[in-house]
Amino acid sequence: MAGQITQLLLLALVAAAWGAPPKTPQARKDLLNVCMNAKHHKPKPGPEEELYGQCSPWRKNSCCSVNTSLEAHKDISYLYRFNWDHCGKMEPSCKRHFIQDTCLYECSPNLGPWIQEVNQSWRKERILNVPLCKEDCESWWNDCRTSYTCKSNWHKGWNWTSGYNQCPVKAACHRFDFYFPTPADLCNEIWSHSFKVSNYGRGSGRCIQMWFDSNQGNPNEEVARFYAAETKNDVPPPQGIGSFLLDLTQMLQLWLRS
C-alpha cells in the first residue's frame, strides 16, 4: 500500500512540474518590437525617417515603408483598393481617423501581444482585441457619426467586381450612428474585433493610442510591455494535463480511504 501511494505521489509531482509554465519563456521576446506577417509589413521594424503625414509618429521605429505611409493617405490606394467614399464623400475629420487606423496597423511595432495567426490568402497574421484607448474610440465615433456607410463589418461582404469595394446589393447607406449606435460598436465591430475599446484612457499605460506626438516618445511601448508580461504569466498547461491531475487526485483520495 505505501509503495503504491508513493508511486502516485511521484506521478503527481512530475505532472505538476510538467504543467507549470516555463521559468524563462522564449515567446515573450517575440511579443515586443515585432511586425506582423501581413501584406505590406516589413520583416523587422526599423527607422523610416521620411514617413508621411499621419504615419510620421513611427519614424524612429516602424513596420511600414515610406511608400506604404504615402499610400495610406490615398483614396482607393494600392494597399487594399479600399474606397472610403462608398456611400458618398466621407467627412475629412472622419477619414483622418481611418488614415491613423491604417498607419497604426501598418507601422506599429507594438502590437505583438495581440497578433494572431490566420489562414488568409493575403496575410498570415492579424491583430485581435487590441485595447484601444477610450478617448480615441469616442473621438473616432464622434467625428464619423454623420458620415455614411452601408455595413457594420468592413472586413468582409463587399462587392469587389469593380476592383474596389462597393456596397453589396440591398445594403442601404445610412449614417454611421445607424450601423454603429455607440463608440464601442464602431471600434469593436468594424474590423472584426481587431480593436476592443478599453476602459483606460490615454497616458494610463494600459491602452493603445491610435496616434501620438512622437516628440514625447511612443506611449504604446509601455503598453506592449505590460501586456506581454501578462501573456508570459498566463501560459496554459499542456492539453489534457488538467483532467489528468484531477483524475490523479481522485485516485489518491480513494487509496487513502481504503
Side-chain angles (χ1 to χ4, degrees), residues 152-199:
S152 58
N153 186 328
W154 287 15
H155 253 157
K156 56 187 179 181
W158 296 101
N159 175 3
W160 291 95
T161 55
S162 62
Y164 58 87
N165 62 302
Q166 292 180 307
C167 294
V169 176
K170 297 183 180 180
C173 290
H174 293 286
R175 281 178 28 147
F176 263 59
D177 51 11
F178 174 86
Y179 285 103
F180 307 108
T182 68
D185 291 326
L186 170 63
C187 300
N188 296 353
E189 302 297 331
I190 195 165
W191 298 126
S192 301
H193 301 279
S194 291
F195 295 115
K196 182 178 182 181
V197 62
S198 175
N199 291 323

Side-chain angles (χ1 to χ4, degrees), residues 28-43:
R28 182 175 182 271
K29 292 181 181 179
D30 296 332
L31 299 180
L32 298 174
N33 196 38
V34 293
C35 299
M36 271 180 282
N37 183 1
K39 191 172 184 179
H40 300 291
H41 290 72
K42 293 160 48 178

